[in-house]
């Protein structure tokens, strides 16, 4: 019984040619950093992309929602640790945040992670994180989703 599949036995298969530097397109001897310039040149579509509701601003918020507090199973945005997000038209993001306590075990690493994640958003050229302690964080700053997740509603 034939199912329409044919097979063929071969002795050897030629290796495909390896890429050579000489095969690259000549740009006058200057290396183009197309991966970086293309990344930074990306701009979301829509009006006022850098304002709340705009694509770039919302992409930064989404990046913040991907960062979770290591002790509480809630992201730092819904936990109320993000006090402010500003995005300029030229792709500079400034995040103002706090931590649950100044003695938090991630006090040294969390701002760096926030900066790295926000700077990785397409269209963001660079990011700054401002860690503040005033006003101090309290559970009232949590979103309803976070309270529900933690059984506080």
């Amino acid at each position: 019984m034939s199912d329409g599949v044919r097979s063929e036995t071969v002795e050897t298969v030629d290796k495909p040619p390896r890429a050579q530097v000489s095969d690259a397109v000549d740009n006058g001897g200057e290396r183009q950093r197309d991966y970086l310039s293309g990344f930074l040149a990306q701009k979301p579509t829509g009006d006022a992309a850098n304002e709340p509701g705009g694509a770039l601003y919302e992409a930064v918020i989404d990046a913040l929602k991907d960062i979770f507090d290591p002790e509480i199973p809630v992201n730092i945005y819904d936990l109320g640790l993000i006090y402010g997000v500003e995005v300029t038209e030229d792709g500079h993001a400034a995040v103002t945040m706090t931590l649950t306590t100044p003695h938090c075990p991630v006090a040294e690493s969390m701002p760096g992670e926030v900066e790295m994640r926000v700077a990785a958003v397409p269209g963001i050229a660079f990011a700054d994180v401002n860690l503040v302690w005033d006003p101090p964080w309290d559970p009232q700053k949590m979103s309803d989703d976070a309270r529900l997740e933690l059984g506080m509603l």
Side-chain angles (χ1 to χ4, degrees), residues 1 3 10 12-13 19 21 39-40 47 49 62 66 74 79 81 83 101 105 113 118 126 135 139 142 144 147:
M1 180 171 186
D3 59 4
V10 295
T12 63
V13 176
V21 173
F39 176 78
L40 294 176
D47 295 331
D62 289 343
D66 283 341
V74 176
L79 197 55
L81 298 179
Y83 286 175
T101 173
E113 181 177 357
V118 170
F126 58 98
M142 292 192 304
D144 288 341
R147 289 191 185 122

Side-chain angles (χ1 to χ4, degrees), residues 13 26 61 70 72 85 87 93 98 102 106 124 127-128 135-137 140-141 151:
V13 176
D26 183 20
I61 298 299
I72 305 170
V85 174
V87 180
T98 192
V106 294
I124 296 296
D128 289 322
W137 179 86
Q140 296 301 316
K141 295 186 183 334

Side-chain angles (χ1 to χ4, degrees), residues 2-134:
S2 174
D3 59 4
V5 176
R6 295 181 349 160
S7 65
E8 179 180 345
T9 304
V10 295
E11 296 298 320
T12 63
V13 176
D14 294 334
K15 287 185 176 181
R18 297 180 72 180
Q20 303 291 321
V21 173
S22 60
D23 295 339
V25 177
D26 183 20
N27 292 325
E30 186 176 323
R31 180 173 179 217
Q32 294 292 330
R33 303 183 109 196
D34 59 341
Y35 66 93
L36 185 58
S37 61
F39 176 78
L40 294 176
Q42 293 181 37
K43 296 287 183 198
T45 57
D47 295 331
N50 60 318
E51 295 177 6
L56 184 56
Y57 182 90
E58 294 303 322
V60 169
I61 298 299
D62 289 343
L64 293 169
K65 287 183 177 182
D66 283 341
I67 304 170
F68 285 79
D69 185 288
E71 297 175 326
I72 305 170
V74 176
N75 69 67
I76 63 171
Y77 188 82
D78 287 334
L79 197 55
L81 298 179
I82 304 301
Y83 286 175
V85 174
E86 295 178 24
V87 180
T88 65
E89 289 182 17
D90 61 347
H92 174 222
V95 177
T96 302
M97 67 174 293
T98 192
L99 297 172
T100 54
T101 173
H103 305 293
C104 181
V106 294
E108 291 184 23
S109 62
M110 183 65 75
E113 181 177 357
V114 170
E115 183 178 333
M116 181 181 68
R117 296 273 190 107
V118 170
V121 172
I124 296 296
F126 58 98
D128 289 322
V129 175
N130 303 312
L131 186 61
V132 298
W133 302 110
D134 189 36

